[in-house]
Amino acid sequence: MDIELAKEDEAFRAEVRKFIAENLTRELSDKITVGASAERSVLRGWQKFLHKRGWIAVNWPTEYGGTGWTAMQKFIFNEEMALANAPRLSPFGLSMVGPVIYTFGNEDQKKQHLSGILSGDTAWCQGYSEPGSGSDLASLKTKAVRVGDDYIVNGQKIWTSYAHEADWIFCLVRTDETVKQQAGITFLLIDMKTPGIEVKPIISIDGLHHLNEVFFTDVKVPVTNRIGEENKGWTYAKFLLVNERTGIAGVPESKRSIVRIKELARKERLGDGGALVDDPAFRHKLSEIEIKLMGLEFTNLRILADAAAGPSSSTLKIVGTEVQQSLAELAVEAVAFYAQPFQKEQLLGTSNESPVGPDYGVATASAYNFGRAASIYGGSNEIQRNVIAKAVLGL
Amino acid sequence: MEFGLSEDQRLLQDGVGRFLEEQSPLEKVREAADSNDFVPRGLWDGIRELGVPGILVPEDFGGMGLGFLDAAIINEMMGRHVAPVPFVGTSVMAPIALTLAGSEAQKQNWLPQIASGDAIVGVGVTERIGVRENAGVIANNGKLTGKALFVIDWSKADVYIVADRDNCLHLVAPDAAGLSSHVLNTIDKTRSVGELVFDNVEAEPLPGANVNIVARMIDAGRIMLAADTLGAGQMMIEKAVIYAGERKQFGRVIGSFQAVKHLCAEMTAALEPCRSLVWYAGHAMDEVPDDASLMACHAKSHLSEVGRFVARTSTEVHGGMGFTDLLGLHYWFKRIGLDRQLLGGPEQVRLEAARLQGWAA
Ligand SMILES: Cc1cc2nc3c(=O)[nH]c(=O)nc-3n(C[C@H](O)[C@H](O)[C@H](O)COP(=O)(O)OP(=O)(O)OC[C@H]3O[C@@H](n4cnc5c(N)ncnc54)[C@H](O)[C@@H]3O)c2cc1C
Ligand SMILES: Cc1cc2nc3c(=O)[nH]c(=O)nc-3n(C[C@H](O)[C@H](O)[C@H](O)COP(=O)(O)OP(=O)(O)OC[C@H]3O[C@@H](n4cnc5c(N)ncnc54)[C@H](O)[C@@H]3O)c2cc1C
C-alpha cells in the first residue's frame, strides 16, 4: 500500500484541472451547483469536449476507445470532475450497455454502437423492469418469438428512465418459457424508432418526467441485434447489473455533495444568528457521513487495484446509496425552511427570475424526495442484503 | 390520571375522520392540489358543519370551547387524509391570539366568524422562532414594515395576524395599502403558505399581546403539526401494509418476506409511542401549563424524525410505485416534509427544549 501521490499523478491532476478550467463553462457547473438537471443539449456538449480529448470512457479498454489509465488516474479524474461540478453523464450507454457490447457483442455490433455511445450521439435506456417483474427480474414476460431473421417482441417495460429521450433501448426478453426462468432470457438491442414501440410518461414524486412505460406491439427486431447467444441473456444482464450497482454507489457525486453542504453550512444561519458549521450537532452528523464515505472511497481504490479483493457490488450499492440519502437529508436540514418551496421552473433551469430563498436551496427537497429511489433502483437494498446473505455469507 | 381519550373525544375524532375519508378521497385532494385551491368549497363547507373551525373558540363566541387535545386529534385526522383545508393557523393559532390578546371588540368581530368558518386567518409568527435574512416585522406608530415568511393558511385569508419583533400582534387586512402578498408554493400542495411584505402598512394591534401569548401560539401550532405528522405517518404505515399484502414478487406477496415485515414492524414500533407523546402535549397545553412548552418541543422534534423515518420506509416498501404521482403516496411524504420545517425544524426545536431545561444559553 502506497498512498503518496507520485509525481506523474500530480502532473496528471494538473492536466485534468487545466482541461476543466478551459472547458467547463459556468453555465454547466452552475446548473449542477444549484442541483437542477442540466439540459440534454448542454450535457451532450460536455460529452463532446471529453470525447474529443479521449477522456470519455474512463474504464473501457483502450482498444475500444478507453483511457488506459491507472487506478490512481481514474480516481484523480473522477474526483476532479466531481469537485468541479462537472455534469454526470448518462450511464446507460457508457457504464451499462457499452461494456456489454464490447465484452459479449460481435464485431458488427461493436462497429455499429460503440462510437455513438462514446460521442454521446446515441442515447440509451434500460428495458429490464416490468410491472410484474421488479425485484424478481428473472420472471420477466416480454416475449420475443423468432420468425425468420427477426424476433417479434410483445410486452411491456416499466420505470424506463429517459426512454422518452433515448434512441435505443437494451432489453431483456423471454425467448423460452419452458425452462428455468433465468435460462430463457435473451438480451436484445432495439432501435426506439421501430414501429410498434410506444412510450408513456410516468410523473414522479418531484413532479417531473424521468420515468416511462414502454409498450411493445409486434415489434420486429433483427436477430443481428441480439447480444451473444439466445437464452444466455441473464449472464449478460448480471454482468451489467454489477457495473450498474457500482456506478450507483456514486462516490464522486457524494464527495461533491459534502463540499456543497460544507459551503452552504458556512452561509446558513442558525436561529440565533450563528453559522450552521459551528453547530456541533450538525458537524457531528456531517462527520459521520464523511467517514462512511471515506471508507467507501478507499474501498473503491482497493477494488481498482485488485478487483478480487473488493466486497460485492451489493455492499457498494447499499453503503453508497445510504451515504447519498443521508447527505440529501442533511442538505434539507441545513437549508431548513428554504428547502420547502417547490419551484419547478428553477428545477428545470427555465426560469429567468431569482429563486425564493438561496439558489442552493432550490433542489434540496426534490433531490431528497427523488433520491429515496436510490435504495430501490438497480435492485432494492433489501434485495442487495439478500444477495450478501446468500452469495457472500452462504446463509 | 386517565391516559386515554374520553368517549366524546373518540366520537369527535371518528366523526371528522369518517367525514374526511368520504368527502376528501385522494382524487379530491389531487384536484384541489392541482388547482392550488387550499379552501375547496365543498370540503370546507362540510368542515364548517362539523364545527371544526370553532373547536377552540369559546362557546360565548359561537365555538365549541374544547381543548388542545381535542384540536390535536382532529389535526391527526387532517394529516391522515392529507386534507387540503386551513386548520393550524385559522382554527388554532388565531383563536389563541384573539382570545388571549384581543380587545372585546376584536373578539366580538372575529371569533364568531372564525367559529363559523366564515373567516380564514393567515398567521405569521415565523420570525419569532428564528430570523431569516432580512425577514422580520417592525411596528412604528401603528404601521408595519418588513417581511413575514411562511405565513400559515395564507390563501384566501380574510385577515392576517402577524407578530412583530417586540412580540406585539397585529391584525392586517389583506387589501391594506403597502402590503404585498405572495404565495409560496411548497413541496406540499395540500396546505397554503405565503409571504407578506409590509411597506408602512396600517395595522390594528391586539392590545393584550405579549411574548407569552406568541409563545403559546407557537407551542400549540407545533403540537398540531406533530399531530398532523402522526396521522399522515399512520396512514403511510397502513398503506405499506396493504401494499405488502397485495404486491407479489417471486410468486408470493412481498409481505411474506421477513425483510418487508420488519420494515413495517419497525415503522409501527417507532410511531405508536408518538401517539402518547402528542396526546400528552395536547393535554399539557390545557392542564399542565408548566410542561406545555417543553412537551410541544418534544412532540414537534420527535415526530419530525419519526415521521421522516416512516415516510421513507413506507416509500421503500412500495418499490417503484412509491415514486409515482399516480399512486399519490408522495402527498403524505411531502406533508410530513413540510410539517417538519414549519414553526421550526427539529434542530431548532431541540435547541429550544435544551434552553427550557436550562442546558443551553
Ligand atoms: C427512479 C427509478 C428509476 C428506475 N429506472 C429504471 C430503468 O431505467 N430501467 C429499468 O429496467 N428499471 C428501472 N427502475 C426499476 C427498478 O429497478 C425497480 O423499481 C426495482 O427493481 C424494484 O422493483 P419494484 O419497483 O417492482 O418493487 P418490488 O419488487 O415490488 O419491491 C417492493 C418492495 O418489496 C421488497 N422486496 C421484494 N422482494 C423481496 C425479497 N425477496 N426480500 C426482501 N424484500 C423484497 C423490495 O425491496 C421493496 O422494498 C427504476 C426505478 C426507480 C424507482
Ligand atoms: C441476560 C439474559 C437474561 C435472560 N433471562 C431469562 C430468564 O430469566 N428466564 C428465561 O426463561 N429466559 C431468559 N433468557 C433467555 C432469553 O429469553 C432467550 O435468550 C431469548 O428468548 C432468545 O433465545 P436464544 O438465546 O435461544 O436465541 P435464538 O432464539 O436462538 O435466537 C438467536 C438469534 O436469531 C434471531 N431469531 C430467532 N428466530 C427468529 C425468527 N423467526 N425471525 C427472526 N429472527 C429470529 C433472534 O432474534 C436472535 O438474534 C435470558 C437471556 C438473556 C440474554
Side-chain angles (χ1 to χ4, degrees), chain B residues 39 66 70 74 127 180-181 187 206 228 243 278 303:
Chain B
V39 195
L66 294 176
D70 306 281
I74 287 180
E127 287 66 38
S180 52
S181 176
I187 52 166
L206 301 185
D228 196 78
Y243 191 76
V278 170
L303 265 294

Side-chain angles (χ1 to χ4, degrees), chain B residues 191-249:
Chain B
R191 279 170 304 172
S192 145
V193 196
E195 200 175 290
L196 301 176
V197 181
F198 303 88
D199 180 9
N200 221 20
V201 174
E202 193 81 52
E204 185 189 325
L206 301 185
N210 62 44
V211 64
N212 295 328
I213 294 172
V214 175
R216 193 158 171 82
M217 291 165 71
I218 293 171
D219 289 345
R222 284 177 173 165
I223 294 169
M224 296 308 135
L225 293 166
D228 196 78
T229 291
L230 173 65
Q234 181 62 42
M235 190 60 142
M236 286 194 90
I237 297 177
E238 289 171 25
K239 283 178 179 287
V241 170
I242 291 172
Y243 191 76
E246 288 170 352
R247 168 72 173 167
K248 280 195 177 156
Q249 285 290 276

Side-chain angles (χ1 to χ4, degrees), chain A residues 131-132 134-136 159 203-205 268 329 333 337-338 340-342 356 368-369 372-373 375 382, chain B residues 126 132 149-150 184-187 247 249-250 308 312 316 320 323-325 333-334 340-341 347-348 355:
Chain A
S135 296
D136 185 11
W159 315 123
I203 303 303
S204 47
I205 187 167
E268 279 293 317
E329 259 175 34
E333 285 175 21
F337 274 151
Y338 277 123
Q340 301 310 315
F342 178 69
V356 177
Y368 165 69
N369 297 350
R372 293 306 317 169
S375 45
E382 289 70 41
Chain B
T126 293
R132 291 263 140 186
L149 301 172
F150 292 89
L184 199 62
N185 289 319
T186 74
I187 52 166
R247 168 72 173 167
Q249 285 290 276
F250 303 97
R308 182 167 74 178
R312 70 183 183 212
E316 181 79 19
F323 295 88
T324 59
D325 181 46
F333 189 105
K334 293 169 181 172
R340 183 184 175 92
Q341 296 305 345
E347 299 77 23
Q348 169 69 32
R355 283 188 185 134

Side-chain angles (χ1 to χ4, degrees), chain B residues 77-92:
Chain B
M77 288 299 115
M78 301 253 177
R80 179 179 174 83
H81 298 284
V82 288
V85 287
F87 188 71
V88 176
T90 297
S91 313
V92 176

